[in-house]
PDB file of all heavy atoms in Angstrom:
ATOM      1  N   ASN A   1       3.099  10.014   3.909  1.00  0.00           N
ATOM      2  CA  ASN A   1       3.643   9.176   2.839  1.00  0.00           C
ATOM      3  C   ASN A   1       3.245   7.723   2.995  1.00  0.00           C
ATOM      4  O   ASN A   1       2.992   7.035   2.006  1.00  0.00           O
ATOM      5  CB  ASN A   1       5.172   9.324   2.787  1.00  0.00           C
ATOM      6  CG  ASN A   1       5.610  10.505   1.946  1.00  0.00           C
ATOM      7  OD1 ASN A   1       5.652  10.440   0.728  1.00  0.00           O
ATOM      8  ND2 ASN A   1       5.911  11.611   2.608  1.00  0.00           N
ATOM      9  N   LEU A   2       3.188   7.249   4.239  1.00  0.00           N
ATOM     10  CA  LEU A   2       2.673   5.898   4.444  1.00  0.00           C
ATOM     11  C   LEU A   2       1.234   5.807   3.962  1.00  0.00           C
ATOM     12  O   LEU A   2       0.834   4.817   3.324  1.00  0.00           O
ATOM     13  CB  LEU A   2       2.756   5.526   5.926  1.00  0.00           C
ATOM     14  CG  LEU A   2       4.136   5.161   6.479  1.00  0.00           C
ATOM     15  CD1 LEU A   2       4.033   4.827   7.962  1.00  0.00           C
ATOM     16  CD2 LEU A   2       4.726   3.978   5.726  1.00  0.00           C
ATOM     17  N   GLY A   3       0.458   6.846   4.257  1.00  0.00           N
ATOM     18  CA  GLY A   3      -0.928   6.871   3.793  1.00  0.00           C
ATOM     19  C   GLY A   3      -1.022   6.876   2.284  1.00  0.00           C
ATOM     20  O   GLY A   3      -1.882   6.216   1.694  1.00  0.00           O
ATOM     21  N   ALA A   4      -0.122   7.626   1.619  1.00  0.00           N
ATOM     22  CA  ALA A   4      -0.110   7.652   0.157  1.00  0.00           C
ATOM     23  C   ALA A   4       0.219   6.272  -0.406  1.00  0.00           C
ATOM     24  O   ALA A   4      -0.386   5.822  -1.384  1.00  0.00           O
ATOM     25  CB  ALA A   4       0.911   8.680  -0.340  1.00  0.00           C
ATOM     26  N   GLY A   5       1.176   5.578   0.225  1.00  0.00           N
ATOM     27  CA  GLY A   5       1.541   4.253  -0.249  1.00  0.00           C
ATOM     28  C   GLY A   5       0.452   3.228  -0.032  1.00  0.00           C
ATOM     29  O   GLY A   5       0.350   2.247  -0.787  1.00  0.00           O
ATOM     30  N   LEU A   6      -0.387   3.428   0.980  1.00  0.00           N
ATOM     31  CA  LEU A   6      -1.466   2.477   1.276  1.00  0.00           C
ATOM     32  C   LEU A   6      -2.758   2.819   0.553  1.00  0.00           C
ATOM     33  O   LEU A   6      -3.746   2.094   0.681  1.00  0.00           O
ATOM     34  CB  LEU A   6      -1.721   2.444   2.790  1.00  0.00           C
ATOM     35  CG  LEU A   6      -0.597   1.848   3.646  1.00  0.00           C
ATOM     36  CD1 LEU A   6      -0.881   2.054   5.127  1.00  0.00           C
ATOM     37  CD2 LEU A   6      -0.437   0.350   3.348  1.00  0.00           C
ATOM     38  N   SER A   7      -2.774   3.922  -0.187  1.00  0.00           N
ATOM     39  CA  SER A   7      -4.021   4.329  -0.859  1.00  0.00           C
ATOM     40  C   SER A   7      -3.808   4.629  -2.340  1.00  0.00           C
ATOM     41  O   SER A   7      -4.476   5.487  -2.909  1.00  0.00           O
ATOM     42  CB  SER A   7      -4.612   5.558  -0.154  1.00  0.00           C
ATOM     43  OG  SER A   7      -3.695   6.638  -0.162  1.00  0.00           O
ATOM     44  N   GLY A   8      -2.876   3.937  -2.960  1.00  0.00           N
ATOM     45  CA  GLY A   8      -2.715   4.044  -4.409  1.00  0.00           C
ATOM     46  C   GLY A   8      -2.006   5.285  -4.889  1.00  0.00           C
ATOM     47  O   GLY A   8      -2.124   5.644  -6.061  1.00  0.00           O
ATOM     48  N   GLY A   9      -1.244   5.969  -4.023  1.00  0.00           N
ATOM     49  CA  GLY A   9      -0.583   7.206  -4.420  1.00  0.00           C
ATOM     50  C   GLY A   9       0.897   7.024  -4.687  1.00  0.00           C
ATOM     51  O   GLY A   9       1.366   5.954  -5.092  1.00  0.00           O
ATOM     52  N   PHE A  10       1.665   8.065  -4.403  1.00  0.00           N
ATOM     53  CA  PHE A  10       3.112   8.064  -4.570  1.00  0.00           C
ATOM     54  C   PHE A  10       3.671   9.129  -3.634  1.00  0.00           C
ATOM     55  O   PHE A  10       2.883   9.821  -2.963  1.00  0.00           O
ATOM     56  CB  PHE A  10       3.513   8.300  -6.041  1.00  0.00           C
ATOM     57  CG  PHE A  10       2.906   9.526  -6.681  1.00  0.00           C
ATOM     58  CD1 PHE A  10       3.606  10.707  -6.768  1.00  0.00           C
ATOM     59  CD2 PHE A  10       1.619   9.477  -7.216  1.00  0.00           C
ATOM     60  CE1 PHE A  10       3.060  11.834  -7.365  1.00  0.00           C
ATOM     61  CE2 PHE A  10       1.057  10.596  -7.812  1.00  0.00           C
ATOM     62  CZ  PHE A  10       1.777  11.775  -7.889  1.00  0.00           C
ATOM     63  N   PRO A  11       4.995   9.278  -3.507  1.00  0.00           N
ATOM     64  CA  PRO A  11       5.546  10.194  -2.497  1.00  0.00           C
ATOM     65  C   PRO A  11       4.970  11.610  -2.566  1.00  0.00           C
ATOM     66  O   PRO A  11       4.795  12.171  -3.645  1.00  0.00           O
ATOM     67  CB  PRO A  11       7.047  10.193  -2.811  1.00  0.00           C
ATOM     68  CG  PRO A  11       7.297   8.837  -3.372  1.00  0.00           C
ATOM     69  CD  PRO A  11       6.071   8.523  -4.195  1.00  0.00           C
ATOM     70  N   VAL A  12       4.710  12.169  -1.386  1.00  0.00           N
ATOM     71  CA  VAL A  12       4.099  13.496  -1.283  1.00  0.00           C
ATOM     72  C   VAL A  12       4.939  14.371  -0.361  1.00  0.00           C
ATOM     73  O   VAL A  12       5.775  13.884   0.407  1.00  0.00           O
ATOM     74  CB  VAL A  12       2.653  13.409  -0.739  1.00  0.00           C
ATOM     75  CG1 VAL A  12       1.766  12.619  -1.677  1.00  0.00           C
ATOM     76  CG2 VAL A  12       2.642  12.778   0.663  1.00  0.00           C
ATOM     77  N   THR A  13       4.691  15.655  -0.435  1.00  0.00           N
ATOM     78  CA  THR A  13       5.347  16.620   0.444  1.00  0.00           C
ATOM     79  C   THR A  13       4.471  17.856   0.548  1.00  0.00           C
ATOM     80  O   THR A  13       3.406  17.931  -0.078  1.00  0.00           O
ATOM     81  CB  THR A  13       6.753  16.980  -0.098  1.00  0.00           C
ATOM     82  OG1 THR A  13       7.417  17.770   0.866  1.00  0.00           O
ATOM     83  CG2 THR A  13       6.661  17.755  -1.405  1.00  0.00           C
ATOM     84  N   GLY A  14       4.919  18.825   1.327  1.00  0.00           N
ATOM     85  CA  GLY A  14       4.195  20.087   1.423  1.00  0.00           C
ATOM     86  C   GLY A  14       4.537  20.973   0.245  1.00  0.00           C
ATOM     87  O   GLY A  14       5.643  21.505   0.183  1.00  0.00           O
ATOM     88  N   GLY A  15       3.630  21.106  -0.700  1.00  0.00           N
ATOM     89  CA  GLY A  15       3.899  21.854  -1.925  1.00  0.00           C
ATOM     90  C   GLY A  15       3.887  23.357  -1.706  1.00  0.00           C
ATOM     91  O   GLY A  15       3.106  23.875  -0.894  1.00  0.00           O
ATOM     92  N   PHE A  16       4.752  24.051  -2.430  1.00  0.00           N
ATOM     93  CA  PHE A  16       4.849  25.513  -2.274  1.00  0.00           C
ATOM     94  C   PHE A  16       3.596  26.219  -2.765  1.00  0.00           C
ATOM     95  O   PHE A  16       2.980  26.994  -2.036  1.00  0.00           O
ATOM     96  CB  PHE A  16       6.077  26.025  -3.034  1.00  0.00           C
ATOM     97  CG  PHE A  16       6.200  27.519  -3.035  1.00  0.00           C
ATOM     98  CD1 PHE A  16       6.675  28.186  -1.921  1.00  0.00           C
ATOM     99  CD2 PHE A  16       5.828  28.262  -4.144  1.00  0.00           C
ATOM    100  CE1 PHE A  16       6.793  29.570  -1.903  1.00  0.00           C
ATOM    101  CE2 PHE A  16       5.944  29.638  -4.141  1.00  0.00           C
ATOM    102  CZ  PHE A  16       6.416  30.293  -3.022  1.00  0.00           C
ATOM    103  N   SER A  17       3.194  25.939  -4.012  1.00  0.00           N
ATOM    104  CA  SER A  17       2.097  26.699  -4.607  1.00  0.00           C
ATOM    105  C   SER A  17       0.787  26.461  -3.871  1.00  0.00           C
ATOM    106  O   SER A  17       0.060  27.407  -3.553  1.00  0.00           O
ATOM    107  CB  SER A  17       1.953  26.341  -6.089  1.00  0.00           C
ATOM    108  OG  SER A  17       1.735  24.951  -6.257  1.00  0.00           O
ATOM    109  N   ARG A  18       0.474  25.207  -3.577  1.00  0.00           N
ATOM    110  CA  ARG A  18      -0.810  24.936  -2.923  1.00  0.00           C
ATOM    111  C   ARG A  18      -0.823  25.455  -1.485  1.00  0.00           C
ATOM    112  O   ARG A  18      -1.867  25.878  -0.980  1.00  0.00           O
ATOM    113  CB  ARG A  18      -1.131  23.441  -2.968  1.00  0.00           C
ATOM    114  CG  ARG A  18      -0.270  22.563  -2.099  1.00  0.00           C
ATOM    115  CD  ARG A  18      -0.796  21.138  -2.041  1.00  0.00           C
ATOM    116  NE  ARG A  18      -0.748  20.525  -3.347  1.00  0.00           N
ATOM    117  CZ  ARG A  18       0.283  19.804  -3.794  1.00  0.00           C
ATOM    118  NH1 ARG A  18       1.352  19.664  -3.031  1.00  0.00           N
ATOM    119  NH2 ARG A  18       0.259  19.245  -4.969  1.00  0.00           N
ATOM    120  N   SER A  19       0.337  25.447  -0.815  1.00  0.00           N
ATOM    121  CA  SER A  19       0.382  25.959   0.552  1.00  0.00           C
ATOM    122  C   SER A  19       0.198  27.470   0.576  1.00  0.00           C
ATOM    123  O   SER A  19      -0.491  28.008   1.452  1.00  0.00           O
ATOM    124  CB  SER A  19       1.717  25.584   1.212  1.00  0.00           C
ATOM    125  OG  SER A  19       1.849  24.189   1.312  1.00  0.00           O
ATOM    126  N   VAL A  20       0.807  28.160  -0.388  1.00  0.00           N
ATOM    127  CA  VAL A  20       0.633  29.612  -0.473  1.00  0.00           C
ATOM    128  C   VAL A  20      -0.821  29.950  -0.773  1.00  0.00           C
ATOM    129  O   VAL A  20      -1.394  30.889  -0.186  1.00  0.00           O
ATOM    130  CB  VAL A  20       1.563  30.206  -1.548  1.00  0.00           C
ATOM    131  CG1 VAL A  20       1.234  31.673  -1.797  1.00  0.00           C
ATOM    132  CG2 VAL A  20       3.018  30.059  -1.124  1.00  0.00           C
ATOM    133  N   VAL A  21      -1.438  29.203  -1.684  1.00  0.00           N
ATOM    134  CA  VAL A  21      -2.856  29.420  -1.995  1.00  0.00           C
ATOM    135  C   VAL A  21      -3.707  29.155  -0.760  1.00  0.00           C
ATOM    136  O   VAL A  21      -4.641  29.915  -0.449  1.00  0.00           O
ATOM    137  CB  VAL A  21      -3.296  28.518  -3.162  1.00  0.00           C
ATOM    138  CG1 VAL A  21      -4.816  28.545  -3.321  1.00  0.00           C
ATOM    139  CG2 VAL A  21      -2.628  28.971  -4.458  1.00  0.00           C
ATOM    140  N   ASN A  22      -3.384  28.093  -0.032  1.00  0.00           N
ATOM    141  CA  ASN A  22      -4.115  27.757   1.190  1.00  0.00           C
ATOM    142  C   ASN A  22      -4.002  28.890   2.207  1.00  0.00           C
ATOM    143  O   ASN A  22      -4.996  29.278   2.845  1.00  0.00           O
ATOM    144  CB  ASN A  22      -3.537  26.460   1.768  1.00  0.00           C
ATOM    145  CG  ASN A  22      -4.462  25.797   2.774  1.00  0.00           C
ATOM    146  OD1 ASN A  22      -5.676  25.809   2.628  1.00  0.00           O
ATOM    147  ND2 ASN A  22      -3.888  25.187   3.793  1.00  0.00           N
ATOM    148  N   PHE A  23      -2.800  29.450   2.341  1.00  0.00           N
ATOM    149  CA  PHE A  23      -2.572  30.556   3.267  1.00  0.00           C
ATOM    150  C   PHE A  23      -3.335  31.804   2.826  1.00  0.00           C
ATOM    151  O   PHE A  23      -4.034  32.433   3.630  1.00  0.00           O
ATOM    152  CB  PHE A  23      -1.073  30.847   3.338  1.00  0.00           C
ATOM    153  CG  PHE A  23      -0.702  31.991   4.237  1.00  0.00           C
ATOM    154  CD1 PHE A  23      -0.442  31.781   5.580  1.00  0.00           C
ATOM    155  CD2 PHE A  23      -0.603  33.286   3.735  1.00  0.00           C
ATOM    156  CE1 PHE A  23      -0.085  32.834   6.414  1.00  0.00           C
ATOM    157  CE2 PHE A  23      -0.254  34.345   4.551  1.00  0.00           C
ATOM    158  CZ  PHE A  23       0.001  34.121   5.894  1.00  0.00           C
ATOM    159  N   ASP A  24      -3.186  32.156   1.542  1.00  0.00           N
ATOM    160  CA  ASP A  24      -3.840  33.363   1.034  1.00  0.00           C
ATOM    161  C   ASP A  24      -5.358  33.262   1.086  1.00  0.00           C
ATOM    162  O   ASP A  24      -6.054  34.278   1.222  1.00  0.00           O
ATOM    163  CB  ASP A  24      -3.400  33.638  -0.402  1.00  0.00           C
ATOM    164  CG  ASP A  24      -1.938  34.078  -0.489  1.00  0.00           C
ATOM    165  OD1 ASP A  24      -1.400  34.504   0.553  1.00  0.00           O
ATOM    166  OD2 ASP A  24      -1.351  33.985  -1.577  1.00  0.00           O
ATOM    167  N   ALA A  25      -5.878  32.034   0.968  1.00  0.00           N
ATOM    168  CA  ALA A  25      -7.328  31.847   0.990  1.00  0.00           C
ATOM    169  C   ALA A  25      -7.895  31.889   2.405  1.00  0.00           C
ATOM    170  O   ALA A  25      -9.118  31.843   2.581  1.00  0.00           O
ATOM    171  CB  ALA A  25      -7.700  30.520   0.325  1.00  0.00           C
ATOM    172  N   GLY A  26      -7.014  31.967   3.416  1.00  0.00           N
ATOM    173  CA  GLY A  26      -7.491  32.163   4.781  1.00  0.00           C
ATOM    174  C   GLY A  26      -7.493  30.952   5.674  1.00  0.00           C
ATOM    175  O   GLY A  26      -8.104  30.985   6.755  1.00  0.00           O
ATOM    176  N   ALA A  27      -6.838  29.848   5.287  1.00  0.00           N
ATOM    177  CA  ALA A  27      -6.803  28.657   6.139  1.00  0.00           C
ATOM    178  C   ALA A  27      -6.174  28.985   7.481  1.00  0.00           C
ATOM    179  O   ALA A  27      -5.164  29.684   7.554  1.00  0.00           O
ATOM    180  CB  ALA A  27      -6.027  27.541   5.450  1.00  0.00           C
ATOM    181  N   ARG A  28      -6.759  28.469   8.550  1.00  0.00           N
ATOM    182  CA  ARG A  28      -6.262  28.749   9.893  1.00  0.00           C
ATOM    183  C   ARG A  28      -5.733  27.510  10.600  1.00  0.00           C
ATOM    184  O   ARG A  28      -4.887  27.614  11.478  1.00  0.00           O
ATOM    185  CB  ARG A  28      -7.383  29.369  10.754  1.00  0.00           C
ATOM    186  CG  ARG A  28      -7.977  30.655  10.207  1.00  0.00           C
ATOM    187  CD  ARG A  28      -6.987  31.783  10.134  1.00  0.00           C
ATOM    188  NE  ARG A  28      -6.384  32.075  11.434  1.00  0.00           N
ATOM    189  CZ  ARG A  28      -5.461  33.007  11.633  1.00  0.00           C
ATOM    190  NH1 ARG A  28      -5.008  33.721  10.602  1.00  0.00           N
ATOM    191  NH2 ARG A  28      -4.960  33.221  12.831  1.00  0.00           N
ATOM    192  N   THR A  29      -6.235  26.349  10.246  1.00  0.00           N
ATOM    193  CA  THR A  29      -5.815  25.114  10.915  1.00  0.00           C
ATOM    194  C   THR A  29      -5.652  24.006   9.879  1.00  0.00           C
ATOM    195  O   THR A  29      -6.104  24.133   8.727  1.00  0.00           O
ATOM    196  CB  THR A  29      -6.853  24.659  11.959  1.00  0.00           C
ATOM    197  OG1 THR A  29      -8.001  24.126  11.282  1.00  0.00           O
ATOM    198  CG2 THR A  29      -7.289  25.815  12.856  1.00  0.00           C
ATOM    199  N   PRO A  30      -5.038  22.874  10.271  1.00  0.00           N
ATOM    200  CA  PRO A  30      -4.917  21.740   9.346  1.00  0.00           C
ATOM    201  C   PRO A  30      -6.265  21.136   8.940  1.00  0.00           C
ATOM    202  O   PRO A  30      -6.304  20.308   8.024  1.00  0.00           O
ATOM    203  CB  PRO A  30      -4.087  20.726  10.146  1.00  0.00           C
ATOM    204  CG  PRO A  30      -3.297  21.552  11.110  1.00  0.00           C
ATOM    205  CD  PRO A  30      -4.229  22.672  11.492  1.00  0.00           C
TER     206      PRO A  30
END
């Protein structure tokens, strides 16, 4: 969130849909 505030963004979190897609697509590490 600090990074988002310093780079023109707004509050962020771990999203449900994108995390599930990331998992289903085979992501293994950050």
Side-chain angles (χ1 to χ4, degrees):
N1 274 280
L2 284 180
L6 292 172
S7 59
F10 53 98
V12 298
T13 188
F16 175 78
S17 58
R18 70 171 64 92
S19 297
V20 171
V21 170
N22 197 37
F23 179 89
D24 290 341
R28 302 297 303 179
T29 73

